[in-house]
Amino acid sequence: MVKVSKSHRASKRQTSAVGDPQISSPSNPFMRLFNYGHQYRKLIWLATICSILNKLFDLAPPALIGVAVDVVVKQQNSIIAQWGVKDVFGQFFIISFLTVIIWILESVFEYAYERLWRNLAQDIQHDLRLDAYEHLQELELAYFEERSTGGLMSILSDDINQLERFLNGGANDILQVVTTVVIIGGAFFILAPSVAWMAVLPIPFILWGSFAFQKLLAPRYADVREKVGLLNSRLVNNLSGITTIKSFTSEDYEISRLTKESEAYRRSNAKAIKLSAAFVPLIRMLILVSFTALLLFGGIAAANGKISVGTYSVLLFLVQRLLWPLTRLGDTFDQYQRAMASTNRVMNLLDTPLAIHTGDTHLPTDTVRGEVEFKNVTFAYKDRLPVVTNLSLQVQAGNTIAIVGSTGSGKSTLVKLLLRLYEVQSGTMTLDGIDIQQLELQDLRRCIGLVSQDVFLFHGSIAENIAYGSFDASDDQIITAAKIAEAHEFILQLPQGYETIVGERGQKLSGGQRQRIAIARAILKNPPILILDEATSAVDNETEAAIQRSLEHITVNRTTIAIAHRLSTIRNASRIYVMEYGQFVESGTHQELLDKSGVYASLWRVQSGLR
């Protein structure tokens, strides 16, 4: 089988992202898929040849039946007798021998094409899903904010599976129908040109009708794929928020909303089914006309001696082999249209241009000093006013600074900009004097450890979650990190200790426990720059004290940027910046800011209960 390496997928994604006309320009979904799968062309050709050969050998037995009838009727004057075999037994022996060979070859090529097409389907869906997911990972956060998780899941799962189902059987069906039409149509004109037109007369109308149905079905199945994406989005959203649904007793409300989405999907499918279901009955009427005409006029021709009885029997058999497979075009085109609608959605995802590109400057983590500087940075989310305006900030290597301010002032946005999860509109950010846009993205993000308020734990064991990002860490290193984060004791009290499964998003653990796991993860990563984004805002006082003790250990000789609402957690920072409306309005040490009696002093008095 043809396999695609990770480097090949990466280069292909980059090519697609910049809009290579050979990949992204064709509007026809089939051509988009064909251009995508160029590395499979040898395999496709091989599968195609096996499909055609299988059909050729599948069509041979009717011809042998005609030859056998000819032997019975003419005996020493049959076709085989003209080859020099006059004995009737010898003639039937030859026919029997050819039958065995043909059936064996038909079976061999059926096995071959089944295996080739189905493995090809598996290879393409495997690589397409990985390509789509890898490209999705490289898109900026704004892309995900504008789309639902369920809709993206529908593309990565259901749409790609739809394409797989077509490649499993639909492609072979089309090839075999075309082969049947060419071979049997040619045989009719060779054996009985006077009545051949009766057999082939409906074919142009069937093909025309098939393409007409295809055009009518295309928009209907595009709508079906859109509706299933919305339905999946609703399901994912509700399953993620099941606690909220239960706590607000809104089960009936959510069922009604899901019913609405499911009904829209059902109605969309019903429109497509209404049209596609009419295809086969209409084709059957055309076939009836052709078969009846051949039965009548072909029989008269045989009775008058214009064609042999063997030829007449072969024609009657072949006309069914020619026309009845055309009824399957309805199902085949149905599969095709579903697959092409899905292909468009997947290819549109792959063609989404990358807004954030990696630089080419390599910066090993062990060489990073940790000096960070923002220079006149301005940033706004899409279609919104600037969140950060002409902001400048310099953090010396090894220092701990804090940024405080009201909700929405832009504090967390600075973290996202430093990690290049978004791109600034103007200004520059540097790490050790190097513009971060020039750095390789992975190098930049490897040297930054983030502990946020919204801790995400993956479904897996505690040990796996601590070692996430440091996948080669030993058990001793994991335990050491947990001890520094003051997580070791509560982990040992769990049923399976470090092998305890935390559940999806870590739902089996408390907020404080999840936070300490996140800190242990950052400790194990051992980054030269540590960012604490509201790391203690959602925990109780006892947990906060434990987290603060662990943070005192890991911030030593490390550049630390702490973002906090609780001023008590950052009072020992070397410098505190107060942020309002995307700008720094105050800065200084804790005592200096209190002496200024400004915004910080006011916040401190409120939190300290002094007013």
Side-chain angles (χ1 to χ4, degrees):
M1 297 296 107
V2 177
K3 296 296 181 184
V4 181
S5 66
K6 183 176 180 180
S7 60
H8 176 84
R9 289 197 298 267
S11 64
K12 183 164 55 183
R13 291 196 314 277
Q14 291 171 359
T15 303
S16 175
V18 298
D20 188 327
Q22 292 184 343
I23 291 180
S24 59
S25 61
S27 57
N28 184 287
F30 177 79
M31 291 306 301
R32 299 177 79 180
L33 180 62
F34 183 77
N35 286 332
Y36 170 85
H38 64 88
Q39 72 273 17
Y40 303 103
R41 287 177 186 174
K42 289 183 180 179
L43 190 60
I44 292 172
W45 275 114
L46 184 59
T48 299
I49 291 170
C50 289
S51 292
I52 293 173
L53 289 174
N54 168 260
K55 180 50 64 175
L56 288 175
F57 289 111
D58 178 55
L59 295 174
L64 293 179
I65 292 174
V67 173
V69 172
D70 193 53
V71 170
V72 171
V73 174
K74 296 183 178 181
Q75 297 188 6
Q76 282 79 17
N77 295 320
S78 68
I79 295 175
I80 296 182
Q82 296 174 13
W83 298 351
V85 181
K86 299 294 184 178
D87 179 58
V88 173
F89 176 80
Q91 294 182 51
F92 276 111
F93 180 81
I94 292 174
I95 294 172
S96 301
F97 177 76
L98 291 175
T99 299
V100 171
I101 297 300
I102 287 170
W103 278 59
I104 290 174
L105 289 174
E106 179 193 355
S107 300
V108 167
F109 285 113
E110 181 174 3
Y111 170 79
Y113 83 67
E114 280 277 356
R115 183 173 179 181
L116 287 167
W117 280 118
R118 293 173 70 174
N119 279 327
L120 180 67
Q122 292 299 315
D123 288 345
I124 290 180
Q125 66 88 18
H126 170 75
D127 289 326
L128 194 57
R129 182 175 287 113
L130 290 181
D131 279 344
Y133 176 71
E134 286 185 37
H135 187 72
L136 197 63
Q137 283 192 133
E138 294 178 1
L139 295 173
E140 69 283 5
L141 282 185
Y143 180 87
F144 298 91
E145 292 170 352
E146 296 169 3
R147 290 160 180 83
S148 68
T149 302
L152 295 175
M153 279 296 298
S154 177
I155 293 174
L156 293 175
S157 179
D158 195 46
D159 283 322
I160 291 176
N161 289 342
Q162 191 70 53
L163 175 60
E164 177 196 353
R165 284 191 286 270
F166 170 71
L167 291 174
N168 268 339
N172 174 73
D173 288 344
I174 291 175
L175 284 169
Q176 295 208 335
V177 166
V178 172
T179 303
T180 300
V181 170
V182 172
I183 297 300
I184 296 184
F188 265 83
F189 281 101
I190 293 172
L191 295 173
S194 60
V195 295
W197 62 272
M198 301 176 192
V200 300
L201 181 62
I203 292 179
F205 297 99
I206 293 173
L207 294 178
W208 173 81
S210 298
F211 288 112
F213 266 78
Q214 176 188 341
K215 290 182 179 179
L216 292 173
L217 280 170
R220 300 195 181 198
Y221 279 125
D223 185 61
V224 169
R225 304 315 311 153
E226 184 68 26
K227 292 298 189 297
V228 76
L230 295 174
L231 179 60
N232 285 344
S233 177
R234 176 68 62 197
L235 288 169
V236 170
N237 188 64
N238 286 10
L239 291 175
S240 299
I242 192 66
T243 302
T244 303
I245 292 172
K246 287 180 177 295
S247 65
F248 282 87
T249 63
S250 54
E251 291 90 345
D252 291 341
Y253 172 71
E254 290 302 337
I255 288 175
S256 67
R257 291 212 295 177
L258 182 62
T259 301
K260 182 179 178 181
E261 299 287 0
S262 185
E263 178 66 16
Y265 175 56
R266 187 187 68 81
R267 289 179 181 275
S268 182
N269 257 312
K271 291 179 181 178
I273 292 169
K274 181 180 180 180
L275 185 61
S276 64
F279 181 81
V280 172
L282 292 175
I283 298 302
R284 289 174 67 92
M285 294 303 100
L286 291 172
I287 292 173
L288 175 63
V289 172
S290 177
F291 181 77
T292 304
L294 183 63
L295 182 67
L296 175 62
F297 294 105
I300 293 172
N304 293 334
K306 293 181 179 179
I307 60 175
S308 68
V309 176
T311 299
Y312 177 58
S313 63
V314 169
L315 293 179
L316 285 178
F317 197 87
L318 285 180
V319 73
Q320 297 183 65
R321 298 295 299 272
L322 171 65
L323 298 177
W324 285 116
L326 295 177
T327 62
R328 294 173 56 189
L329 281 178
D331 291 334
T332 302
F333 276 119
D334 189 81
Q335 288 183 31
Y336 174 80
Q337 282 304 336
R338 289 175 182 269
M340 292 305 102
S342 294
T343 296
N344 257 340
R345 282 160 53 88
V346 178
M347 292 301 166
N348 286 341
L349 170 58
L350 282 172
D351 290 344
T352 303
L354 301 180
I356 298 176
H357 298 277
T358 186
D360 53 12
T361 301
H362 180 52
L363 186 65
T365 302
D366 55 6
T367 66
V368 175
R369 300 191 311 276
E371 181 179 319
V372 177
E373 185 172 6
F374 290 69
K375 299 178 183 177
N376 303 317
V377 170
T378 296
F379 171 77
Y381 293 103
K382 185 178 180 181
D383 300 326
R384 290 166 61 182
L385 294 173
V387 180
V388 177
T389 306
N390 199 32
L391 182 142
S392 295
L393 168 68
Q394 186 172 17
V395 185
Q396 297 296 328
N399 282 4
T400 296
I401 67 128
I403 302 175
V404 300
S406 59
T407 301
S409 60
K411 305 184 302 297
S412 295
T413 298
L414 295 181
V415 176
K416 297 174 182 177
L417 293 176
L418 184 58
L419 284 164
R420 289 196 70 199
L421 302 177
Y422 294 92
E423 208 75 292
V424 298
Q425 272 79 49
S426 64
T428 58
M429 292 175 289
T430 62
L431 173 59
D432 289 350
I434 305 171
D435 190 332
I436 62 172
Q437 293 187 356
Q438 298 176 7
L439 294 173
E440 292 182 5
L441 269 176
Q442 289 196 342
D443 283 352
L444 171 67
R445 292 168 181 169
R446 280 194 189 103
C447 69
I448 299 174
L450 173 64
V451 180
S452 65
Q453 174 186 355
D454 184 20
V455 175
F456 188 95
L457 298 184
F458 294 89
H459 183 74
S461 69
I462 287 179
E464 289 171 339
N465 274 280
I466 293 176
Y468 192 82
S470 305
F471 303 108
D472 57 349
S474 66
D475 291 343
D476 289 341
Q477 290 173 319
I478 292 172
I479 293 172
T480 300
K483 288 179 177 178
I484 296 174
E486 299 206 13
H488 182 67
E489 290 186 7
F490 88 77
I491 292 174
L492 292 181
Q493 294 173 3
L494 295 173
Q496 284 82 40
Y498 281 85
E499 296 306 313
T500 300
I501 301 299
V502 301
E504 191 171 356
R505 299 184 65 92
Q507 60 186 350
K508 293 184 178 180
L509 302 179
S510 70
Q513 290 172 333
R514 290 196 298 269
Q515 197 67 264
R516 280 182 270 185
I517 295 298
I519 293 173
R521 179 192 291 169
I523 293 170
L524 191 59
K525 184 179 180 181
N526 193 29
I529 300 170
L530 180 65
I531 298 177
L532 308 172
D533 188 3
E534 307 286 2
T536 61
S537 63
V539 297
D540 55 62
N541 291 333
E542 181 180 351
T543 303
E544 179 187 356
I547 291 175
Q548 281 298 118
R549 289 193 297 270
S550 63
L551 292 179
E552 288 176 4
H553 288 90
I554 64 174
T555 57
V556 175
N557 297 322
R558 193 189 311 271
T559 302
T560 305
I561 301 174
I563 295 172
H565 277 300
R566 293 185 181 181
L567 304 186
S568 58
T569 63
I570 49 90
R571 61 185 298 176
N572 295 324
S574 57
R575 195 162 190 83
I576 301 170
Y577 294 84
V578 182
M579 195 171 185
E580 293 292 333
Y581 305 108
Q583 294 179 319
F584 292 139
V585 295
E586 293 178 355
S587 67
T589 64
H590 172 72
Q591 190 59 49
E592 289 172 349
L593 291 172
L594 290 180
D595 293 341
K596 289 182 179 180
S597 298
V599 176
Y600 182 87
S602 177
L603 290 172
W604 177 259
R605 286 194 294 271
V606 170
Q607 293 188 15
S608 301
L610 299 178
R611 76 172 186 184

